[in-house]
Amino acid sequence: MPWDLLNDRPIYTQLLEQIKRKIVSGEYQAGERLPSVREYAAEAGVNPNTMQKALAELEREGLVRAERTAGRYITEDETLIQQVREALAREQIAVFITIMKDLGYSREDSMEFIARVLKED
């Protein structure tokens, strides 16, 4: 998994977001075991404490569960995964709408523009 980490925000936040996207997109399957903190940190090129912080937040949100001796696993709660997926999509739409407003597009103009772009794809 390529890690795209920038210096504009805390690294653990970026790790959290990227892992979350992998979960909601289905790249990580419900019930799948995650690599250990050390393996994950080495793969991402970050301090294990930073990775631990990101994984702890995913546990707090319920997307990941820890089993004491067996490691961490993706939740099997498909409803939760879908809710998080929709929340992330709403966030992206809100950003898009703000940018379009800043560019001078009305809501209707934005919808028409999206429709045109989708037809081109």
Side-chain angles (χ1 to χ4, degrees):
M1 162 188 204
W3 296 89
D4 186 23
L5 302 173
L6 307 172
N7 291 326
D8 63 341
R9 294 176 299 121
I11 298 298
Y12 90 92
T13 304
Q14 295 177 65
L15 294 169
L16 170 69
E17 291 167 351
Q18 290 182 34
I19 296 168
K20 196 181 287 189
R21 271 191 245 116
K22 300 288 185 186
I23 294 170
V24 301
S25 72
E27 187 170 327
Y28 290 162
Q29 297 295 311
E32 182 178 339
R33 185 178 186 280
L34 291 173
S36 72
V37 171
R38 290 192 184 283
E39 291 169 335
Y40 233 178
E43 180 184 310
V46 299
N47 184 299
N49 292 333
T50 304
M51 184 59 76
Q52 172 62 31
K53 190 172 181 179
L55 292 171
E57 180 62 22
L58 287 168
E59 282 181 52
R60 190 188 68 70
E61 292 179 14
L63 286 172
V64 170
R65 73 178 191 286
E67 293 185 9
R68 215 175 190 110
T69 58
R72 286 189 171 87
Y73 293 82
I74 304 298
T75 184
E76 293 179 6
D77 185 346
E78 296 286 350
T79 302
L80 175 62
I81 292 171
Q82 185 60 31
Q83 289 172 344
V84 171
R85 183 176 186 223
E86 288 178 13
L88 292 173
R90 284 183 183 275
E91 289 173 15
Q92 292 303 306
I93 290 169
V95 169
F96 173 78
I97 290 170
T98 299
I99 291 170
M100 293 302 281
K101 282 180 184 176
D102 289 347
L103 292 172
Y105 284 88
S106 69
R107 178 174 245 145
E108 294 76 24
D109 292 340
S110 294
M111 295 298 289
E112 289 173 17
F113 188 77
I114 290 170
R116 275 198 325 265
V117 169
L118 287 173
K119 283 181 184 175
E120 293 170 4
D121 260 356

